[in-house]
Amino acid sequence: MTDRQHTHGARADLLAAARNENWGPGVLPQLPEGVQARRSAVLVLFGVLDSIPAQTPDAAVAKDLDVLLQRRAPTLSSHPGQVSFPGGGRERADRDDVDTALREAEEETGLDPAGVEILAALPALPLAVSNHQVTPVLGWWTKPSKVAAVDHAETVEVFRVPVAQLLDPATRFRSVTSRGSMTFKGPAFDVDGTIVWGFTAMVLDRLFDACGWTVPWDETRVRPVAP
């Protein structure tokens, strides 16, 4: 089977994962009781790389499959400097979470929403540290468009990461982060020195499991990550 056929298989795997009611991360800090969280959405967008990257060992998916990520500006009050999916808070003009995710992705990365097929709006997840209820919107990039950081006050870098590289056991570790008296552990990825952790890593980790893509890795490898 060719890489291109594997890529179409990946879309089917993502659709199947979206139908799995237990797809979400099992452990996420819950929102404080009685607090009204802001409704938000992120675009979890998979597509095909323009060129095939270097070989990775025992990759579970085609080497040209990628996911769109960005790095947030270090001056932001919420999750400064972290790698994230494009997305943000819902606005009054947004009809639903899909609208929010596509609008924010266009504003932050310049992508053309017309080239995005929405596969599913997944169940909302709590993001307690910034008091948001976040809906991951799963997309397939049917016609990839050029992307770059549009507003450097919000986003400093936009990049497409090969999924096979994220699945490489050498890339994976468990992050440890402390806030006050609380300590949190979660999945993380080291992509050539770029650390993907927190909410974004949790969503990717669970999606990879739900799609059947995960390659066994050393889950005892632990590294501290500064919030």
Side-chain angles (χ1 to χ4, degrees), residues 7 10-11 14-15 23 41-49 64-70 83-87 98 101-122 135-148 158-164 166 199-200 203-204 207-208 211 213:
T7 302
R11 178 184 173 280
L14 289 164
L15 280 168
W23 82 270
V42 295
L43 182 63
V44 185
L45 183 59
F46 290 87
V48 178
L49 285 167
D64 60 354
L65 181 70
D66 73 344
V67 63
L68 181 67
L69 298 175
Q70 63 181 23
V83 173
S84 69
F85 302 112
V98 170
L102 289 175
R103 174 185 54 75
E104 287 282 345
E106 183 177 13
E107 291 174 0
E108 293 172 344
T109 73
L111 70 74
D112 181 1
V116 176
E117 175 193 2
I118 298 302
L119 301 181
L122 301 172
T135 297
V137 174
L138 189 59
W140 185 259
W141 219 349
T142 56
K143 296 180 180 178
S145 49
K146 289 183 179 181
V147 289
V158 176
F159 47 96
R160 300 166 64 178
V161 181
V163 172
L166 291 168
F199 180 87
T200 303
V203 171
L204 287 172
L207 269 177
F208 293 163
C211 287
W213 297 348

Side-chain angles (χ1 to χ4, degrees), residues 52 55 141 174 177 198 221:
I52 296 175
Q55 297 288 318
W141 219 349
R174 289 211 170 274
T177 254
R221 186 187 299 131

Side-chain angles (χ1 to χ4, degrees), residues 12 34 36 46 56 58-59 64 83 86 94 107 114 118 120 123 127 134 138 148 150 153 156 164 174 177-178 188:
Q36 185 68 34
F46 290 87
T56 52
D58 301 322
D64 60 354
V83 173
D94 297 336
E107 291 174 0
I118 298 302
L127 190 51
V134 185
L138 189 59
V150 175
V156 295
R174 289 211 170 274
T177 254
S178 297

Side-chain angles (χ1 to χ4, degrees), residues 15 21 30 33 50 54-55 71 141 156 160 191 213 218:
L15 280 168
E21 293 182 358
Q30 296 300 302
E33 194 170 331
D50 298 320
Q55 297 288 318
R71 188 190 304 279
W141 219 349
V156 295
R160 300 166 64 178
V191 183
W213 297 348
D218 183 3

Side-chain angles (χ1 to χ4, degrees), residues 186-199:
F189 306 83
D190 185 339
V191 183
D192 299 327
T194 295
I195 307 301
V196 183
W197 65 286
F199 180 87

